[in-house]
Amino acid sequence: QVQVVESGGGLVQAGGSLKLSCAASGRTLYTLGWFRQAPGKEREFVAAIRKSADNTEHADSVKGRFTISRDNAKNTVYLQMNSLKVEDTAVYYCAATFLEMSRTPDRYAYWGQGTQVTVSS
């Protein structure tokens, strides 16, 4: 059984930084990703990283500001978020899959409960 648990959300001022963590228990999953969902909006892709950590993808909206990384020894993925904007406010979800990297939520079988990130102006 795979379980995914996020941590690290909170309230930060615009321009500030936060680091999210996600621990995945069980087998080492091939791809770990982050998605977010703002009120009234669909869940959107943020970033993903494959097991070897040699390949990452970031959404255009966060490229240059957010960085995904992983520690396979700890089966943990991180999302370093810098230069946060008000529009980054959302519930952030960690997701995991045994499949190749994808920006499509349906490709991820395992999801955390989400962590709230609120950016104030």
Side-chain angles (χ1 to χ4, degrees):
Q1 183 72 13
V2 175
Q3 289 187 322
V4 179
V5 180
E6 309 98 335
S7 61
L11 173 65
V12 64
Q13 285 191 329
S17 298
L18 277 176
K19 186 174 185 178
L20 305 182
S21 299
C22 171
S25 63
R27 298 161 58 186
T28 300
L29 293 114
Y30 192 76
T31 299
L32 294 171
W34 288 97
F35 291 77
R36 66 186 182 186
Q37 188 166 18
K41 294 187 176 181
E42 293 188 352
R43 191 167 298 190
E44 65 172 356
F45 170 80
V46 176
I49 186 168
R50 62 191 293 180
K51 180 179 180 180
S52 59
D54 62 349
N55 193 8
T56 62
E57 287 189 20
H58 295 80
D60 288 344
S61 59
V62 306
K63 203 169 290 184
R65 300 187 298 120
F66 292 10
T67 303
I68 189 171
S69 61
R70 70 187 288 173
D71 182 338
N72 286 335
K74 297 181 180 179
N75 223 8
T76 298
V77 63
Y78 305 97
L79 185 68
Q80 177 66 48
M81 304 185 295
N82 299 327
S83 302
L84 282 160
K85 303 176 181 180
V86 172
E87 51 264 42
D88 293 320
T89 296
V91 177
Y92 283 70
Y93 296 91
C94 180
T97 179
F98 291 107
L99 305 176
E100 282 280 357
M101 282 202 301
S102 173
R103 299 183 178 222
T104 305
D106 289 348
R107 299 283 287 175
Y108 293 79
Y110 308 99
W111 290 83
Q113 79 287 351
T115 185
Q116 177 70 47
V117 171
T118 302
V119 185
S120 63
S121 57

